[in-house]
Amino acid sequence: MKLLSVASEIFPLIKTGGLADVTGALPAALEKLGVQTRTVLPGYSQVLDKCPKAKLVAEFANIGGHAVSILGAKVAGLDLLIVKAPGLFERDGGPYADLNGADYGDNWRRFSVFAKAAAMIATGALKGYKPDVVHCHDWQAALTPAYLRFGTEPAPPSVMTIHNIAFQGQFAAQVFGELGLPASAWSFDGVEYYGSVGFLKGGLQAADAITTVSPTYAREIRNAEFGMGLEGLINARAGVVSGIVNGIDTDVWNPETDPALATGFATRTSARRSGNRKAVAKHFGLKPGDGLLVAIVTRLTWQKGMDLLAEAVDGIVANGASLAILGSGDKGLENALQQAAQRHPGRVAIQVGYDEPLAHLMQGGCDAILVPSRFEPCGLTQLCALRYGCVPIVARTGGLADTVIDANMAGLAAGIATGFHLGPLSARAIVEGVADAAAVKRDGKAWARMVKNGMTTDVTWQASAERYRNLFQDLIDRQAKA
Ligand code: ADP
Ligand code: GLC
């Protein structure tokens, strides 16, 4: 099976969040099942720098007013098709925003050209290559199914995966005329969305199947609270919506061989974690003693509940726990957490920034990790934590609810618990959840059982890759019959 994946980020080339981890790891898992993935990716400067051997494979004189070339490259086991359009993608700053964090004003142009190039590849623009199925990720890739659907050429079936429905790619109605779509696409069935242009909306309407990254999130987005305006569409298309939970790359996240750890340890025994605990305490200048040492590794945003964490800090410390925080994002939240650290020297510390090795060390050394998200399509940090013997304390939402077994009475009695679910989310629920975890840790035996359960939980991609493969096959078979 030949799969064309369309994604605006991919690990290890360019990453702002878990999306990149997913698009970077899924190809290898699918490969084992006989699916060959090629990934279409924008030619950001950061990507071109890392692909010096990329070769020209096609040229398009004009897409949306830009000359576009497609470069082929094989990097880190990934088969990439890079959409090179210097005026659109070769900029200082990140993939979506400038150095000050402001979204680029022409993101609609950047990602419509990108999606159009992907659609042209999908319908055979590269000599000798025609994919059987197309897999599009998030709003940046969402116009691809729309171009395929409103185009004139026979097109392979497409799947639209929602990693976060909060980001929809919504733009002023005026841009519609610039997208190169026929007038019929300005409709309920196309990209029209409450009087403006909705990229994600158009993709969800046009794709043959919709997936999101956990079964619980697939249910949640049917309600207004989580659907963010798209709940009506999701309900109308419920028959083609499913949730497939993410896995992690267990070669990158392997505590036996991880170079970022002070002391490695086997996946079935956590005995040597204490060396990492000491290293984390030293790095952050913390003195956790016998209390619970809790990690936070996250984007500092409202989605992740970081405002509630800032409110909960004093209560957490009063109950005897310590906090090591690694994250960056919202400046107001960074300040609030920095102030909390100043109030509690030796017990609360924050490192602002993005630091992959430190994230690994924290997972391998902290006793628990706190993930108090308001919504969480899947979440990857709790999966890494399970594998590294770091007990997750999570909000009961989305993929967090699906991947962590709560230490409630039944879970503890059956010996199957792997972490803690917070009560209805509030600062107080966070304080109480951390206190509950500390109480179980004092009962050494029950805690050791939870750590072991977590470390032996299947967090690999295998089962989910099979689900994707089966979905792709099903769409291919149905199209062949039609
Ligand atoms: P999201 O994509 O919503 O940010 P996920 O949990 O799916 O959340 O993925 C986040 C990924 O980024 C994980 O791999 C996590 O370890 C990593 N991460 C987030 N913040 C940081 C940070 N400050 N330093 C290092 N890694 C981080
Ligand atoms: C998004 C979601 C996160 C998910 C990730 C990868 O960033 O916020 O929950 O794990 O995508 O699917």
Side-chain angles (χ1 to χ4, degrees):
M1 187 189 301
K2 283 178 293 200
L3 171 72
L4 187 69
S5 173
V6 187
S8 58
E9 41 187 284
I10 191 165
F11 183 85
L13 293 168
I14 179 93
K15 166 169 166 175
T16 70
L19 168 64
D21 294 310
V22 172
T23 58
L26 196 47
L30 286 170
E31 167 109 61
K32 293 190 190 125
L33 305 172
V35 180
Q36 289 163 352
T37 307
R38 299 188 91 173
T39 304
V40 190
L41 180 75
Y44 312 115
S45 312
Q46 296 94 323
V47 167
L48 296 172
D49 289 349
K50 288 183 187 143
C51 302
K53 293 194 183 140
K55 286 204 180 63
L56 183 69
V57 292
E59 279 179 295
F60 306 123
N62 181 359
I63 305 180
H66 289 259
V68 173
S69 39
I70 307 296
L71 309 182
K74 294 216 163 106
V75 186
L78 300 164
D79 188 348
L80 303 175
L81 294 168
I82 301 165
V83 179
K84 184 170 163 71
L88 296 177
F89 299 122
E90 291 166 41
R91 298 182 179 179
D92 297 337
Y96 318 124
D98 65 20
L99 288 170
N100 299 318
D103 282 351
Y104 298 120
D106 61 348
N107 273 343
W108 63 272
R109 173 73 83 195
R110 300 171 74 233
F111 292 105
S112 60
V113 170
F114 169 62
K116 176 72 183 175
M120 291 166 79
I121 294 169
T123 49
L126 301 192
K127 232 171 108 197
Y129 179 67
K130 186 110 198 266
D132 300 305
V133 58
V134 184
H135 188 188
C136 303
H137 299 270
D138 273 352
W139 76 264
Q140 295 89 344
L143 281 192
T144 299
Y147 284 121
L148 293 177
R149 160 115 173 239
F150 289 96
T152 48
E153 315 217 13
S158 59
V159 175
M160 184 73 233
T161 293
I162 305 167
H163 294 265
N164 193 337
I165 211 164
F167 300 105
Q168 302 186 350
Q170 200 176 347
F171 303 100
Q174 291 86 299
V175 311
F176 178 75
E178 300 281 318
L179 298 179
L181 283 164
S184 58
W186 181 257
S187 62
F188 177 76
D189 215 23
V191 300
E192 189 277 331
Y193 184 49
Y194 297 116
S196 49
V197 169
F199 278 35
L200 183 61
K201 188 266 177 174
L204 293 174
Q205 199 69 36
D208 296 280
I210 298 170
T211 69
T212 183
V213 286
S214 69
T216 293
Y217 193 61
R219 281 195 300 276
E220 287 173 336
I221 56 175
R222 297 179 68 161
N223 302 312
E225 184 191 350
F226 293 95
M228 309 202 166
L230 286 167
E231 59 278 5
L233 188 163
I234 297 293
N235 277 305
R237 302 211 68 204
V240 301
V241 178
S242 61
I244 302 178
V245 80
N246 291 332
I248 55 170
D249 184 331
T250 46
D251 292 330
V252 175
W253 289 96
N254 180 353
E256 288 182 66
T257 56
D258 192 332
L261 297 182
T263 50
F265 53 97
T267 37
R268 278 167 192 283
T269 142
S270 59
R272 301 185 65 220
R273 290 185 92 253
S274 59
N276 298 313
R277 192 178 191 271
K278 283 195 194 107
V280 172
K282 185 162 176 240
H283 178 91
F284 280 94
L286 292 171
K287 294 196 170 59
D290 292 336
L292 196 71
L293 174 57
V294 181
I296 313 261
V297 180
T298 186
R299 294 185 282 118
L300 299 177
T301 64
W302 183 88
Q303 174 196 340
K304 301 290 180 181
M306 287 297 109
D307 52 325
L308 300 174
L309 174 72
E311 268 181 63
V313 169
D314 295 350
I316 291 171
V317 172
N319 287 338
S322 301
L323 283 177
I325 306 169
L326 170 63
S328 64
D330 186 295
K331 294 285 172 250
L333 294 173
E334 283 178 16
N335 289 340
L337 291 169
Q338 261 156 348
Q339 280 166 20
Q342 278 160 14
R343 285 200 301 281
H344 303 288
R347 296 291 298 285
V348 177
I350 177 168
Q351 178 168 321
V352 171
Y354 187 89
D355 188 336
E356 202 98 21
L358 181 59
H360 284 237
L361 180 65
M362 291 166 75
Q363 296 279 20
C366 292
D367 303 314
I369 190 162
L370 182 59
V371 193
S373 306
R374 284 194 168 81
F375 63 94
E376 196 62 75
C378 181
L380 299 174
T381 45
Q382 83 281 9
L383 301 180
C384 306
L386 288 170
R387 182 153 167 91
Y388 275 47
C390 184
V391 174
I393 305 170
V394 302
R396 191 185 292 129
T397 186
L400 300 173
D402 283 334
T403 58
V404 175
I405 303 176
D406 184 29
N408 59 24
M409 204 173 81
L412 283 174
I416 56 170
T418 59
F420 298 84
H421 288 190
L422 300 173
L425 198 60
S426 65
R428 183 163 156 196
I430 295 173
V431 174
E432 286 170 357
V434 174
D436 288 348
V440 176
K441 182 166 178 265
R442 283 192 288 274
D443 171 359
K445 223 170 135 197
W447 185 263
R449 180 72 190 253
M450 286 181 69
V451 170
K452 189 163 178 207
N453 288 345
M455 293 179 75
T456 51
T457 296
D458 181 12
V459 293
T460 67
W461 266 107
Q462 197 186 333
S464 294
E466 278 174 27
R467 289 197 182 96
Y468 277 113
R469 195 261 326 256
N470 294 345
L471 172 66
F472 298 149
Q473 190 63 55
D474 190 42
L475 297 177
I476 294 167
D477 293 346
R478 265 195 272 166
Q479 193 182 59
K481 275 194 214 127

